Amino acid sequence: MKVFWKVVGYIRLKFDGDNIYEFIDECKSRNIELKNLKKLSDSFYGDILSTTLKKTVSIAKEKSTSVKVEGRFGIAMKIFLYRNRIALIVASLLFSLLFFLNSIFIREIKVSGNVYLTDEQIKSVISDCGVKKGTLLWSVKPDEIKEEILKKCDHLSWVWIDIKGTTAYVDVREKISVPEVFDYDYACNIIAEKDGVIREAISESGVLYAKPGTYVKKGDLLIGGVYDSNEYAPVRFVHSKGSVKAYTTYTLSENCNFTYYSYELTGKSKRTYGLKIAGQVIKTGSERKGLYMERQNNKKITIFGKNYFSLGFTNSKYCEIIKKECTMGYNEAVNKTTENLIQRLRSTLPYDAEIIDIEKNYDDKSSTVSVTAHCIEDIGEELPIEIGWR
């Protein structure tokens, strides 16, 4: 029964009056249990179940006995006393649980030491090896993961992962590319890689066939790697070396487009706010219909600068835009098409091609624009000589 009383809760009362004994007898007759009944001075003290308080007070009024609550005990009574603080207690428990769950997962990954590889490429590799947002901290074993990362990515020579708070710091070192060892011993000719007019030709080894001012086609022999035999020397094969620069041309053409589309803001906008939990966004409001441009700001919750909560807030602004079809004039269309062609042409030229002139042509009948780039470049290309012996 003691356990039952502690769970349900009991109240300690103080009884005063001339009819206390009649009050006690009446309580017993109505099945109200009085425990720990004792007399101190002229007052009696006793414990009753919390569920019988109203009935006890009613009997005390009938018998002209004053009743005063001296204390409340038991689990149920504690909950009753602190009922206004339950929300605070629950919130504290949830916060503690969230903090615990947040502190055992990786929430942020920072990469350093990379030069050629991007952060996203490195994150993709380590993600395949088990290190990503949401990974348990104690499951990350740097020594084992390091070997696995180096096997998966040939561009890395060294990698280390350091966990601080809920952030994984990934430090890498990239491999230095070894220059290709060029074999100068094999015999080869130098031929024209493309059509052009020879500007200058210099041979360091081999027979020079290219002459300045002559027009050559792709595949023509420029410097030969075979010395003919004579009465003094047999046939010799050499590795041809030299520089053959020529005038070359590159042409691109395109029809003018006189129509284009423009996008304008109408001034109408709507905002939505959301809660981001474990990568999932819960937004307030319905989907925005029509043509909208979204601008979104994310805010993370951090503690001590290193621990990132899996909880965040989003603030999205939807701006309404309209699509309009517009028409350009002839000169504007030609100029715009010409600029696009020149940009495309420059991006397709070889890295060593030197532009000396850009020629623009317009065909009014077909509304076609053509752009021709006149360049100077080395057109020599090595071609190994197959030597057969009888």
Side-chain angles (χ1 to χ4, degrees), residues 34 49 78 115 146 164 168 182 195 203 209 226 231 242 247 272 301 321 382:
L34 286 171
L49 282 172
K78 293 295 182 183
V115 179
K146 171 187 173 182
K164 293 182 180 179
F182 198 78
D195 299 350
S203 173
Y209 292 99
V226 181
E231 58 181 328
Y247 296 100
T272 59
I301 300 178
I321 58 176
E382 292 186 358

Side-chain angles (χ1 to χ4, degrees), residues 88-98:
L88 179 62
I89 295 172
V90 172
S92 301
L93 292 175
L94 289 176
F95 180 81
S96 301
L97 178 62
L98 181 61

